[in-house]
Structure formats: structure tokens, C-alpha cells
Amino acid sequence: MSAESLRQQGTAKIVMPFVTNLLIVAFIVSVFLFQRLSTSTLKGIDFIGYLWNLFSKAAVAAYLSVALFLGYKVMINYTEAGSPLLLHLVYQINFGLLVIFLAKAFYIWRQLLLYHKNKFLQIAWDWFEILLGATLLLTVFDFNYTSFIFLPLLALMGFYIFFLCTNLKWVAYLTFNNKSRSLVLLGAILLSCYIFLRFFNGLKDSPDLVIDYTKVGFLLLAMMFVGFYTLAAFLVSLFSLPTSSVFEQKSEDLLNFQRLSQSIQQGQSEAQVYDMLFDSTIRAADASAAWFELVRKDEPQVSHMLNVNNDQIERIRHLLLAYNIHNIDYINNNMNRNPGFRDLMLPWKSLIILPIKSKKHLAGVLYLLKDIEQGFDRETVNVLRTFTSQTILTIENLWLVTESLQNERYKEELKIATQVQESLIPKNFPVDSWFEISTHAVAAKEVGGDFYDFLQLSKSRIAIIIGDVSGKGISAAFHMAQMKGIFHGLMQQDMPPSEFMQQANSALSRCLERTSFITSALYIIDYSMKGFVFARAGHCHTLYYNAMMDDVFYFQTDGMGLGIIRDKSYANHVREMFYDYNPSDVMVIYTDGIVEARNAANEEYGEDRLKYMLQQTYHLEAEDIKFAIINDLQDFTGPDNLYDDQTLLVIKFKPVEPNK
């Protein structure tokens, strides 16, 4: 053989393994990169979904590997002759399945390992990937990773893997049911690891194979990480399984407590809060039966029941009353030792009573029953009392919110009523050269029962009415509006004041409450006759200044309030009066809120003081007379001392006749 031929054979021995190893590394890198990109799209906290994704898309490859190998065994047993080519094909397919499985598992575990990560853990993982990737160089250059040079480094990588496998925070967030499911999936993944290890370890010394993949250190370390992390997750899930229900209950208690705290912000009703309390306490105490009683006017009303009937409730309630146990905290953890409870033949052995009450209110009483002795331990009782304390706080806050909303609604309604009432009171009287008029009206509350109005009957005649509805507030304002409608309806017929009062009394008898009545006075001024006629229905006497006689006096006329007598005999209790006026005469019409106004010493303003003020001011204009009276009234009562609606009309007849 020539030297050139020997040199070519030596080069081939060096180049061919290098190319083969490079192809192996390229395949591994491409699969891992693909899985890294595809797995990074998985988001959220569906941890069972992660495990199912790993099992269904990768771990099942191990079982496919078993099927291929069994098929190979059946074939060689059938043909009674081995086939190195077929074995090599099965081996290569299983290698591909192994790499897919490891890549998928590697990056699924990466997602879970970095759950609730910190900066240190992120850096530790990044370095792990770099170091693990660097081991591929051993395969490319055909280094023996089991040599004494690399064994210490591989041991350090093993410790590194062990450290990473301690990061299993996601397991704590699994519920009892999810942990049970995760154990099945983790067990199947562990079995997949074992199948691949058993397969490749069993064939590593086979003379029929051209290549041995157990010499790829990267795969060994990746399998070590996947296997250890799967085993760690399996063990942690297994040993934490007995305590899962406890932590779930605590978590549920905290969640329910938070829900109760947020009930107001969520706009929930009182009934919804009681529903939440009932369900939450039953779960917290693991109660066998329960009922909840709402207390309304000291009378219990059963609103919620669970596994208990009305007959049992009545028997228990009757016994508790006999023991003088009424709306108080009570615990009986061994009902069978009590003769009274034992005689009731109840299926339960533990009872707790939890009143939902504050210092001022008792909202309800909760009864919980369990079919075991010592069913309510101290910790459970503390949790239940926390729920009830939060519930009464929430209920009282809901009451306050409801009351506040009602007040706001009431204020809004009053505002609307005030606007309506203001629109009903005339702002301007007709301007005429025969007389001038000035008005004043103020309500003791947002709305009142005083009213006045006018109606032009003809060119020379005008009707003016003033009145006062018994009571105050919205009801009085409502009746005031009714009276205004009656005035405009009846006076369209231009009837005399006494006839108007009779007709108004008849109309109001049909719509006015028995406890209500209206006082009123109606004046019809006739310019052409230079006089006025009026009738008084129980209203304040009219104050008058006669310029010709230079005298101030009250008209003393009979009249009874509207709605007091509700039959035809009312006509006998109302009279009308006609009076001729002179130029510069003054008429003062008012409601009792003027003369009955009181000062700090509880003294009334009175008719005499009002008469005195007119005596001092009759020579002024109507507007000035009004202001003088109102200022004197406010000086007498003091500021912000209004107990009743006040209405005042000042009419002054002019000496100048209208142009004709």
C-alpha cells in the first residue's frame, strides 16, 4: 500500500467521526432551539396544562420507543436471524424521540422552575444553559467526558442541577385535585425517563451498532436534569398532598373574608352578604348541617337551611330557650352528654351558635352542626368569629350606604319639589296704576305649604288668594299644588269668594287626608268699583290701613278652614265682606308664620307688633313697607330661627286713576 493511500485512510478516520458528531450536535441544537421557541409561547398558571403538554407531546415518545423495540424483537424472533440494519434504524429513531422528549421536558421545566423567579435564579438558569451547551463541544471533538479531566466538572454540573431542582414554587399552588392529577402525569414522565435510560444503556455495548449515543455528555446531563426535576416535583407533590386540603381551606377562608370586605365596593346587597356568610362558614367549619335566622323586630326568620328541617330547628330552638340560650355565643362539642339534646334524638354531636351582632344591632343568628364530637376546635371557632365580625361590619356599612343613598335621593327629590313649588308661585303681579303689590315667601324646609296666586278675571277685576296647608314638607307642598289647581279651575267661572270656598271645600274633601286642612283667604279687587270683596276660610285676619280715617285695624270676619267640615253645612261657616278702598290705603295679607314667629325667649312676634309696624310705615311704598316688616321680624327672631313657612303680601292702592 502506498504512503498516499495510508495518509488518505488516516484522514478519513479523523474526518468521518468529526462530521458524524457535528451532525449529531446540529440535530440536538436544532431540536432544542425549536422547543425553546415553541415552549416560550406557553403562558399563565395552568400547571396541569404544562404537564399534560409535556406528556402528550413528548413523554409519549418513550412508549412509542417501546413499541418500536418490541416490534423489532418480534421480527427477529420470527425470522430467527438478527438484522443489524434494522436494529440501527430502531436505534436512530429512538435517539430522535429521546432528543425531542428531552428538549420538550427541558423547556417545560424551565417555565415552571422560573415561576416567581428572582434575578439570581434567572442568572443561575442562564449560566446553566450556557454550561450545558458548552458540553456539546465534547461531542464535536470526540472527547471522552468520563475521563478524569472532565469528571470533576461533570460532578459540579450535577450539584448545579440539584440546586436548580429545588425551585418548585409552582407545586404549592396546586389544589388537592390538581396534585392528584399531577402525580399521575409526573409518574408517566418518570417512566418515560426510565424507558429511555433502559433502552440506551442496554444497547451501549452492542457490536451491531455503529455509534453509541450514551457517550454524548450533553444528553446525559439533560436527562439528569429532566429526571431529577421530575422526581423532585413528584415527591414534593406526594408529600404535600395530605396538607393540601388544609392550605386550600385557609386560602378559601381568606378569599371569602376578602369577598365580605369588598361587598360594599362591589355593590352587593344585604341578602348577597348573608349568602356568602352562610356558604363560607359551612366550608370553613366543614359543617354537616346549618341554618341562618334573620332577626327583624326581635322575630327570627329562617332564611338559609342545609340538611336540617323546620321541625328539628323548632325543637333545638325550644330547648335553647329553656336553657336561656338566646342570641349569644354558644358551643357544645358533645351534645350527647347533655340530657336535653340527647332526648331530641338528633343526628349531630356538635353545635355552635354565632350571633351576627354589634353593640347596637342584632342582624341574625347562625347555627352550625357537625355529626362528630369536638367538631369545633379553637382555630375553627376563631375563623368563624372573624367571618361573623366582618359580616356585621359589612352589613352596618351597607345600612349606612343605603341610608346615605336614601338621603341623597330624598335631597334630590326635595330639590325637584322646591323647583316645582317655586315655579308655581307667581314672580310678578300685573302692573297697574290702581295699586302696587310686594310679596315675600320663605319655606321653613326645602318645600312648604304656604301659597299665594292671582288670576285676572277681567280688565278691571283681579282675584288674589293666599293660603296655608297644615303641616310642613312635601305633603304640604303637594296639597298646596292641589289648592292652586282648584283656584285656577273654579275662578275661571268668576264666582264670589264665599261660593269659591264652598266649592273648594267640597273638592278638597275628596283628596285631603282627614288629619289635614287648609286655611285660605280670597280677595277680588274691582278697579272700576273702587272696592274689594273677600272671604276668609280660617286664615289670619287681614291687616288694613284706612287713609281717610288714618286708622290701622284688622278685619274681623268669620270663616273655617277647608277640609275640617266635609259636608254641605260648611256654607254656614264662611262669610264674605265688601269694602271700599281709598287712595293710599294699605292691605297686609300674611300667613301665621309671620305673627307666630318666636324669638330666643319663646315670645311670639304677634299681631300687635305687626299692626305697630304698619302704623309706622303706611306712608311708604308697598315694597318698603314689606322690607320694614321683614327686617323687624328678623331682628325679633334672630338669624336662622325659622320654625314655620312665612308669606307676606303688601297691597297699596294708588291715588292716580288709570288712563281712559
Side-chain angles (χ1 to χ4, degrees):
M1 185 177 293
S2 64
E4 183 65 24
S5 177
L6 291 172
R7 187 166 58 253
Q8 290 178 352
Q9 290 179 3
T11 302
K13 288 182 180 180
I14 296 173
V15 172
M16 288 304 296
F18 177 79
V19 173
T20 302
N21 293 338
L22 192 62
L23 292 174
I24 293 172
V25 169
F27 175 71
I28 293 173
V29 169
S30 61
V31 172
F32 269 73
L33 285 177
F34 173 78
Q35 292 298 339
R36 194 180 200 279
L37 294 174
S38 62
T39 307
S40 63
T41 60
L42 298 176
K43 303 293 182 183
I45 56 173
D46 182 15
F47 303 123
I48 295 298
Y50 281 95
L51 297 179
W52 177 252
N53 188 287
L54 172 56
F55 172 77
S56 62
K57 295 184 179 180
V60 73
Y63 304 100
L64 181 59
S65 171
V66 171
L68 286 173
F69 188 69
L70 290 177
Y72 165 75
K73 286 291 188 181
V74 169
M75 184 170 290
I76 61 173
N77 288 335
Y78 180 77
T79 58
E80 296 182 355
S83 174
L85 180 61
L86 184 59
L87 176 61
H88 190 71
L89 179 62
V90 171
Y91 190 76
Q92 293 295 337
I93 293 174
N94 283 351
F95 166 68
L97 295 174
L98 171 65
V99 173
I100 293 171
F101 165 71
L102 289 178
K104 190 71 175 179
F106 187 85
Y107 287 108
I108 288 286
W109 290 151
R110 171 183 176 272
Q111 292 287 98
L112 298 180
L113 185 147
L114 294 179
Y115 182 70
H116 276 192
K117 64 183 177 182
N118 52 39
K119 186 176 181 180
F120 173 77
L121 185 59
Q122 182 66 64
I123 294 173
W125 175 265
D126 292 341
W127 274 105
F128 175 65
E129 280 196 274
I130 293 171
L131 293 174
L132 188 63
T135 61
L136 289 171
L137 296 175
L138 299 177
T139 301
V140 173
F141 297 106
D142 205 20
F143 290 119
N144 184 7
Y145 68 89
T146 60
S147 65
F148 291 105
I149 299 175
F150 297 110
L151 280 178
L153 296 176
L154 293 176
L156 290 175
M157 285 293 292
F159 284 115
Y160 204 158
I161 290 171
F162 179 77
F163 160 72
L164 292 174
C165 290
T166 60
N167 291 279
L168 295 155
K169 296 178 183 178
W170 59 275
V171 177
Y173 293 88
L174 295 175
T175 63
F176 180 86
N177 291 333
N178 283 343
K179 282 183 180 177
S180 302
R181 294 168 59 191
S182 70
L183 286 173
V184 175
L185 293 172
L186 289 169
I189 296 168
L190 275 175
L191 183 59
S192 299
C193 294
Y194 173 76
I195 291 171
F196 279 122
L197 286 173
R198 179 69 181 271
F199 176 81
F200 285 98
N201 190 59
L203 295 177
K204 68 177 181 178
D205 297 325
S206 174
D208 295 330
L209 296 176
V210 177
I211 189 170
D212 182 9
Y213 289 117
T214 60
K215 294 181 179 180
V216 181
F218 175 89
L219 296 179
L220 178 66
L221 291 172
M223 178 62 78
M224 184 184 299
F225 168 74
V226 170
F228 280 1
Y229 197 85
T230 306
L231 179 62
F234 181 86
L235 294 176
V236 170
S237 299
L238 179 64
F239 290 120
S240 64
L241 191 62
T243 60
S244 293
S245 58
V246 177
F247 287 108
E248 285 179 40
Q249 183 61 55
K250 297 301 178 186
S251 177
E252 183 69 19
D253 292 345
L254 289 174
L255 182 60
N256 289 329
F257 185 77
Q258 183 183 21
R259 287 172 180 167
L260 284 172
S261 302
Q262 295 176 345
S263 296
I264 302 177
Q265 299 176 358
Q266 296 171 351
Q268 292 185 336
S269 65
E270 186 176 345
Q272 290 174 314
V273 174
Y274 290 136
D275 291 341
M276 192 181 305
L277 169 70
F278 193 69
D279 294 338
S280 301
T281 51
I282 288 173
R283 285 196 293 267
D286 193 22
S288 306
W291 82 89
F292 179 70
E293 296 176 351
L294 285 173
V295 178
R296 295 291 182 267
K297 297 180 180 180
D298 295 328
E299 290 295 326
Q301 303 173 7
V302 177
S303 61
H304 298 72
M305 297 171 60
L306 175 69
N307 299 332
V308 62
N309 56 48
N310 289 320
D311 177 64
Q312 292 169 327
I313 291 175
E314 286 301 320
R315 286 190 288 151
I316 294 174
R317 185 188 290 162
H318 182 75
L319 180 62
L320 292 172
L321 289 175
Y323 288 158
N324 199 26
I325 299 172
H326 182 64
N327 299 337
I328 60 172
D329 278 319
Y330 175 76
I331 303 175
N332 188 332
N333 271 325
N334 199 327
M335 296 168 65
N336 287 337
R337 293 186 182 180
N338 184 292
F341 283 109
R342 189 168 55 245
D343 292 342
L344 294 180
M345 302 294 290
L346 298 170
W348 307 290
K349 298 180 180 180
S350 298
L351 166 69
I352 185 170
I353 302 175
L354 297 165
I356 315 300
K357 67 178 181 178
S358 64
K359 293 181 179 179
K360 297 181 179 180
H361 300 101
L362 174 65
V365 183
L366 178 66
Y367 299 81
L368 299 175
L369 296 153
K370 297 187 75 170
D371 51 11
I372 57 172
E373 295 181 358
Q374 304 300 320
F376 301 101
D377 55 59
R378 180 179 299 178
E379 184 179 359
T380 301
V381 171
N382 289 337
V383 171
L384 295 176
R385 284 175 176 162
T386 301
F387 278 128
T388 56
S389 298
Q390 181 60 37
T391 298
I392 189 59
L393 179 62
T394 302
I395 291 300
E396 288 191 327
N397 286 336
L398 283 173
W399 287 343
L400 290 174
V401 170
T402 302
E403 183 178 351
S404 176
L405 290 174
Q406 288 176 344
N407 288 337
E408 289 298 322
R409 192 179 299 114
Y410 181 65
K411 289 179 181 178
E412 187 63 27
E413 290 175 355
L414 284 178
K415 182 179 178 181
I416 295 171
T418 302
Q419 293 172 350
V420 172
Q421 187 176 34
E422 288 179 352
S423 68
L424 294 176
I425 296 176
K427 301 298 185 293
N428 299 301
F429 275 84
V431 177
D432 199 285
S433 56
W434 276 107
F435 69 93
E436 60 186 33
I437 185 167
S438 181
T439 63
H440 168 80
V442 59
K445 295 185 177 181
E446 287 81 355
V447 291
D450 284 6
F451 66 94
Y452 64 89
D453 204 351
F454 75 94
L455 182 65
Q456 192 78 45
L457 301 177
S458 65
K459 186 176 180 181
S460 62
R461 298 174 70 245
I462 184 172
I464 298 175
I465 189 170
I466 188 171
D468 184 5
V469 181
S470 63
K472 302 178 183 66
I474 293 178
S475 62
F478 174 72
H479 294 315
M480 180 271 281
Q482 286 180 315
M483 187 61 185
K484 182 181 176 72
I486 291 171
F487 168 68
H488 279 274
L490 293 177
M491 288 309 294
Q492 296 292 335
Q493 304 174 35
D494 196 3
M495 61 179 58
S498 58
E499 178 67 19
F500 168 81
M501 293 302 180
Q502 296 174 37
Q503 296 290 340
N505 184 74
S506 176
L508 289 170
S509 298
R510 300 184 183 92
C511 58
L512 203 63
E513 297 91 345
R514 284 285 178 183
T515 56
S516 298
F517 63 92
I518 297 175
T519 66
S520 181
L522 174 63
Y523 305 82
I524 299 177
I525 301 174
D526 192 328
Y527 308 162
S528 60
M529 299 294 293
K530 296 184 181 180
F532 60 86
V533 61
F534 69 95
R536 168 181 166 269
H539 199 69
C540 300
H541 294 293
T542 305
L543 180 62
Y544 197 82
Y545 167 71
N546 188 306
M548 182 176 292
M549 299 173 60
D550 192 24
D551 187 22
V552 177
F553 58 90
Y554 285 98
F555 286 115
Q556 300 294 329
T557 56
D558 293 333
M560 182 173 289
L562 303 171
I564 297 176
I565 296 177
R566 305 195 175 194
D567 53 38
K568 294 182 179 180
S569 65
Y570 179 80
N572 300 324
H573 298 276
V574 63
R575 297 286 184 271
E576 66 183 25
M577 178 179 179
F578 184 84
Y579 194 84
D580 292 326
Y581 64 80
N582 302 298
S584 300
D585 281 6
V586 179
M587 184 163 56
V588 178
I589 307 169
Y590 56 92
T591 59
D592 58 5
I594 299 291
V595 294
E596 294 179 1
R598 295 177 180 272
N599 60 11
N602 202 32
E603 298 171 336
E604 285 190 355
Y605 186 76
E607 291 183 342
D608 291 340
R609 185 157 180 161
L610 179 62
K611 179 180 177 181
Y612 174 78
M613 285 303 300
L614 182 57
Q615 289 172 340
Q616 302 300 313
T617 59
Y618 65 82
H619 59 281
L620 302 175
E621 300 293 329
E623 187 79 1
D624 295 329
I625 297 173
K626 179 197 72 175
F627 278 122
I629 294 173
I630 295 303
N631 289 337
D632 183 64
L633 178 65
Q634 292 177 349
D635 290 340
F636 176 80
T637 60
D640 303 323
N641 195 15
L642 187 64
Y643 293 101
D644 196 3
D645 305 332
Q646 295 179 353
T647 301
L648 177 70
L649 280 72
V650 178
I651 301 172
K652 187 168 186 177
F653 298 99
K654 294 181 181 181
V656 181
E657 295 185 1
N659 295 324
K660 295 185 179 179

